[in-house]
Every structure is written in structure tokens, then in C-alpha cells.
Amino acid sequence: MINAIGREIPENIAGIKNIKPYSGPFAYTPAGRLTGPTIILNKPRSEKVLKSIEQAIDATGLKDGMTISFHHHFRNGDYVLNMVVAAIARKGIRDLTLAPSSLNNINEEIIPYIEQGVITAIETSGARGKLGKLLTNGKMKKTTIIRSHGGRARAIECGELHIDVAFLGAPACDTYGNMNGVEGKSACGSLGYAMVDAAYADKVVAITDHLVPYPLYPVSIPQTQVDYIVPVEAIGDPKGIASGALRISKDPRELLIAQYATTAIEYSGYFNQDYSIQLGSGGASLAAAQFLKEKMKQQGITASFGLGGVTAPFIEMLDEGLIKAIYDVQDFDIPSIQSMKKNANHQEMSASFYANPHNRGPIVNQLDVVILSATEVDVDFNVNVITDSNGVIMGAVGGHQDTAAGAALSIVVAPLLRGRLPMVIDQVHTVCTPGETVDIIVTERGVAVNPRRKDLRDNLREANIPLMDIEELRDIAYEFAGKPDPILVSDEVAAAVEYRDGTLIDVIRKPL
């Protein structure tokens, strides 16, 4: 089958039912009803606190062939996923589907358990390092499924991704299961990606290194969604969970990209009083936040809300009154965690509230401007954020698809070259975000506006930035680095890349 962006989608993919090719960002209309967890009885004074992860595994009734989930708010400081999978392996349980919100380098410790057959399928937003190579090389028994953050929330809520047991790291938890992420030695801030798991999994286990007397407050995930609690010595390494305030880039190329991006926003027609914005955590995005802050002060503009993964520049803007509110699905640094704890205008939100396209209104639909990064882009404005120049999985889709579709103005920032590799090319290896939802590509050499957005092109003529056709950027990149050879792949599908609505936008084939 050929989907709407010209990608070939096999009619049959091992482990995937009801294959639907991507047909447009809003073309697929869902049907049916939301699913839900099992109904249980909890008697008064029942004890939820258990002595070990092994005891919790027994209590949940985890068996061969089930699906387990985790959140990735601890990033490269995460201990929970690794310790739980190790405990499951010791119990002799096999053939599990692992469905975390994302995977990081620290999770490479589970590779031996994949090789042993403890884990035979993975559904996630992305992977890196050795795990990414393993998934790309088709080492799983079943095809890996890649979903965006909004797509994952959608899949859980509609029952496509049924979670039997969610093991959720809780920076703070009381003796009846109320959790938050702003207290304790492993504080990570928002628990936005864990909220959907807690609400829909059949069994939920809170694993904490900060068990407190009842009641805990504030509450991010309530006691009504938690079956068992396991206190452990440490659920993560604070140094890997959150950094100090992320620093603004001093790289001249990133600063130039940031300047072009902020100028594009200024002249786009969306830089008005009470506009809304999401920025990433990359160097150019952080620099853009600083430049926007200056422009907002100069023009007397304040934003209605900031959105997404939160960093220190957003917190500074909130504290200075330049942003009225922040909606937070994850935190990247200590100032963001502290802000959510103390500032009532800094609101925690779930991944579904953030980006699920099949609910009654994700907040991305109210977004005016988003700045996104890219591994590579092509002349049709399609964006790849998951595979590298060798076709190997090395990143995550995250909220890229979701915000590009929801925002009135989506800007993708990327250097024209990385090393000796062009980043603007004829055709990206893997399409994660379709070009029809991408409005502007910003590089250090020039800015390209999607031909679909003649209004933007007209507006940006007044800006002092180098406007080019996307083909001109590609030609400059090829002039410097040469046209890259195509990546040779087999017919074997290692991973299926879903669009946020559950249709298939692309597949990742095993490299030759």
C-alpha cells in the first residue's frame, strides 16, 4: 500500500493488526469507545505497601505474554525500568511486551533480557544507543511500534495498547498510593506521561524512594489508581534526572538559527498579545526563548501560555510576567521542577491533555507557535527525528507530530550540515512528521516557507532574513557535502512508525 505521502506500507506486518496507511493529518475519523482498567474492590484499612518488587510482581498476577509499562521522566537517571525487568527475569516470566513512554541509554541494561526472551516486543516513542541499534536490526520477535506522545495516550485510551501492569517511579508517595513528582531526592517535576498509564492499566505499582505518611499533597496521580507500593533505596540518579538550569547556546550557528526563527515568529502574523508557544530543549530552541523574551519586552507583548517540556527560560518568562501560565508534561531542569512546586500558574498536565488527537480537545490545538528540531528534512518538508544517517533508530518521535499538527505555526530548526552530512535532502529516510503540517524550515543559511503557506511567505518578505525555496537549501547542502548515497535496506520491517491517529506514516526496515 502507498500512503498519502508516498511511502510504501506492507499489507501485513508481524504483530500488527488492522494496518491503516496514513491518509492525512486529520483524515482518519475514529469510532468506538474508550477502554478502562479492571474493576476491583478495596476494603477499608487494606495494606498497599509491599516489601519488594518481586512481591509486587506476584500480587499483580503478571504472566507470560502480558504488557508492562513505565514512564521516562527520570531520563538517563532512571533505575526503575531496569530493576523491574531484572526482577521479572528472575521470576522466570517471558514473552512480555515492554511499553514505556520512551527509552534512554541507561536502559541498555535490559538488552540481555531481550536476548533471553523475557521481552519480545517493544512499543515506545523512541530509543537510543545500543537499544536503538537492536530494534533497527530486527532482533525483536515482534515488530517494534513507534508512537508520538499523543499517539501513545490515544492508543492506551482506545485499547490498542492494553497495559496489564504499569510500574511507575514515584518521587514521592504516601502509604495509600498518592504520588507527586516535586518532592523527594528523585524529584522529576511533572508526571504527565505516567498519568495515562495510571488511569488505564489493569494494575498499577508505585515504586518510590520517598514514602511518606498519608496524606501526601499535592497529588499528581491519586490513590484511586494505585494498587501496590514498593519502597526502594533509590529510583533514580538525580544527576541524570534533571540538570541545573539549561544553558543558552554560545554556538554561533545555533544562535544564528535562533535569530532567524524568532524573526520569523515576529513577522509571521502570530506574534500578538496573548499568543501561545512551545519551545524545545535543544540549543537553538533555548536561544530562541531568550531572543523572544527580549522581543516581547520591547513590544510589550505577553503570552497566554507556554506549553510542553519545560525549561528554565520558560520559568524566567513566567516569573517576569511575560507568560501567564505554563502547562507542563515534563521538566528538564531543576528550576522547572521547583517552579511547578511553588507556582499555581505552573500547571501539570497528562500526555492526553497535551496531545491526544482523539479526545475532546488536546491543548496542542490551542497552540499558536511551536519550534521543533529535526534529524533531517526533505524538499516536501517531511521531517525525520528518529533515524540517523545510517538508518538506525537514535531518537524519539516525542510530541513532534502532535505539536506540528496542532500549532498554527510550526517551525523546524536544523543546521544545514551536521559534520559532512546534509540535513536538507531530497527524501528523508524515515518520515515522522508529514510536511503538510510543517510551515517553516530554518537553517543558518536560509529560511524556507512551505508553499502551502503563501500567507507566511508574504509576511516574511518584510523580515530581514534570507528567504529561500527549500530546493535552494538542499542544493547548497549538496554543494558543500555532496548528495548522500541512499541507505540500503532489506524488505524486513523492524519498526512501524505510527502517525498520531494510529495510521502508519512509515516503516523502518532493517539495514543491509
Side-chain angles (χ1 to χ4, degrees), residues 322-338:
L322 294 174
I323 295 179
K324 295 178 182 177
I326 288 176
Y327 289 88
D328 184 346
V329 73
Q330 70 170 321
D331 294 286
F332 287 99
D333 52 29
I334 294 171
S336 303
I337 297 170
Q338 294 173 338

Side-chain angles (χ1 to χ4, degrees), residues 47-62 83-84 86-88 90-91 93 165 167 203-207 227-232:
E47 181 61 64
K48 291 186 178 183
V49 179
L50 305 179
K51 294 180 179 179
S52 67
I53 293 173
E54 286 82 358
Q55 189 178 3
I57 293 169
D58 290 340
T60 62
L62 185 67
M83 74 168 76
V84 170
I88 290 170
R90 290 193 296 270
K91 301 288 288 185
I93 299 171
V165 185
F167 295 93
K203 297 290 183 180
V204 176
V205 180
I207 301 175
D227 296 282
Y228 306 107
I229 304 152
V230 179
V232 296

Side-chain angles (χ1 to χ4, degrees), residues 216-240:
L216 171 74
Y217 49 88
V219 174
S220 298
I221 293 174
Q223 62 195 39
T224 54
Q225 297 174 349
V226 177
D227 296 282
Y228 306 107
I229 304 152
V230 179
V232 296
E233 183 177 343
I235 58 174
D237 177 2
K239 294 179 181 178

Side-chain angles (χ1 to χ4, degrees), residues 16-88:
I16 300 179
K17 300 177 181 178
N18 303 320
I19 294 173
K20 303 182 294 289
Y22 169 79
S23 55
F26 304 105
Y28 175 66
T29 302
R33 293 182 177 274
L34 297 180
T35 186
T38 54
I39 299 172
I40 63 170
L41 170 67
N42 186 279
K43 296 181 179 180
R45 302 294 184 268
S46 60
E47 181 61 64
K48 291 186 178 183
V49 179
L50 305 179
K51 294 180 179 179
S52 67
I53 293 173
E54 286 82 358
Q55 189 178 3
I57 293 169
D58 290 340
T60 62
L62 185 67
K63 299 177 182 178
D64 292 0
M66 286 187 170
T67 297
I68 57 175
S69 76
F70 302 82
H71 68 73
H72 75 284
H73 287 286
F74 301 147
R75 285 176 285 276
N76 265 326
D78 179 36
Y79 293 165
V80 173
L81 190 152
N82 296 347
M83 74 168 76
V84 170
V85 171
I88 290 170

Side-chain angles (χ1 to χ4, degrees), residues 288-316:
Q290 188 64 34
F291 295 148
L292 273 175
K293 180 178 171 182
E294 295 167 3
K295 290 182 183 293
M296 290 168 71
K297 287 182 175 180
Q298 291 167 2
Q299 299 185 30
I301 290 174
T302 57
S304 58
F305 67 88
L307 181 62
V310 177
T311 58
F314 255 9
I315 302 308
E316 293 172 5

Side-chain angles (χ1 to χ4, degrees), residues 261-262 265 275-282 284-293 296 305-311 313-314 317 323 332 354 367 369-373 403 411:
T262 51
I265 292 170
Y275 82 111
S276 56
I277 188 164
Q278 175 171 330
L279 302 172
S281 59
S285 294
L286 290 173
Q290 188 64 34
F291 295 148
L292 273 175
K293 180 178 171 182
M296 290 168 71
F305 67 88
L307 181 62
V310 177
T311 58
F314 255 9
M317 295 167 79
I323 295 179
F332 287 99
Y354 173 44
L367 190 58
V369 180
V370 63
I371 297 181
L372 299 164
S373 60
T403 51
I411 298 175

Side-chain angles (χ1 to χ4, degrees), residues 129-381:
K130 294 178 181 178
L131 269 174
K133 291 179 182 178
L134 182 147
L135 298 182
T136 311
N137 288 328
K139 298 296 184 181
M140 305 301 299
K141 180 179 178 181
K142 300 175 185 175
T143 305
T144 296
I145 299 176
I146 304 294
R147 295 188 179 97
S148 72
H149 290 324
R152 180 177 186 269
R154 174 204 58 78
I156 292 171
E157 293 184 5
C158 77
E160 276 181 26
L161 173 55
H162 174 78
I163 299 170
D164 293 292
V165 185
F167 295 93
L168 304 180
C173 184
D174 68 27
T175 53
Y176 210 43
N178 295 300
M179 289 187 249
N180 73 42
V182 296
E183 298 175 13
K185 64 181 181 180
S186 301
C188 64
S190 174
L191 292 176
Y193 296 127
M195 289 177 176
V196 180
D197 301 56
Y200 285 84
D202 283 346
K203 297 290 183 180
V204 176
V205 180
I207 301 175
T208 186
D209 56 11
H210 187 62
L211 185 66
V212 300
Y214 184 86
L216 171 74
Y217 49 88
V219 174
S220 298
I221 293 174
Q223 62 195 39
T224 54
Q225 297 174 349
V226 177
D227 296 282
Y228 306 107
I229 304 152
V230 179
V232 296
E233 183 177 343
I235 58 174
D237 177 2
K239 294 179 181 178
I241 294 172
S243 67
L246 297 178
R247 296 181 180 180
I248 304 299
S249 174
K250 295 182 180 180
D251 184 325
R253 183 172 65 170
E254 288 189 339
L255 291 175
L256 185 57
I257 291 171
Q259 287 176 341
Y260 288 161
T262 51
T263 301
I265 292 170
E266 181 182 12
Y267 285 86
S268 66
Y270 297 100
F271 189 61
N272 303 311
Q273 177 62 29
D274 290 331
Y275 82 111
S276 56
I277 188 164
Q278 175 171 330
L279 302 172
S281 59
S285 294
L286 290 173
Q290 188 64 34
F291 295 148
L292 273 175
K293 180 178 171 182
E294 295 167 3
K295 290 182 183 293
M296 290 168 71
K297 287 182 175 180
Q298 291 167 2
Q299 299 185 30
I301 290 174
T302 57
S304 58
F305 67 88
L307 181 62
V310 177
T311 58
F314 255 9
I315 302 308
E316 293 172 5
M317 295 167 79
L318 179 68
D319 291 343
E320 294 177 25
L322 294 174
I323 295 179
K324 295 178 182 177
I326 288 176
Y327 289 88
D328 184 346
V329 73
Q330 70 170 321
D331 294 286
F332 287 99
D333 52 29
I334 294 171
S336 303
I337 297 170
Q338 294 173 338
S339 172
M340 201 181 83
K341 184 176 181 179
K342 68 182 181 181
N343 193 329
N345 289 352
H346 186 158
Q347 291 287 310
E348 189 174 16
M349 65 178 174
S350 73
S352 185
F353 185 103
Y354 173 44
N356 177 0
H358 293 169
N359 64 27
R360 288 170 174 79
I363 198 169
V364 293
N365 289 356
Q366 295 295 313
L367 190 58
D368 288 317
V369 180
V370 63
I371 297 181
L372 299 164
S373 60
T375 302
E376 58 185 9
V377 300
D378 67 25
V379 293
D380 293 317
F381 286 75

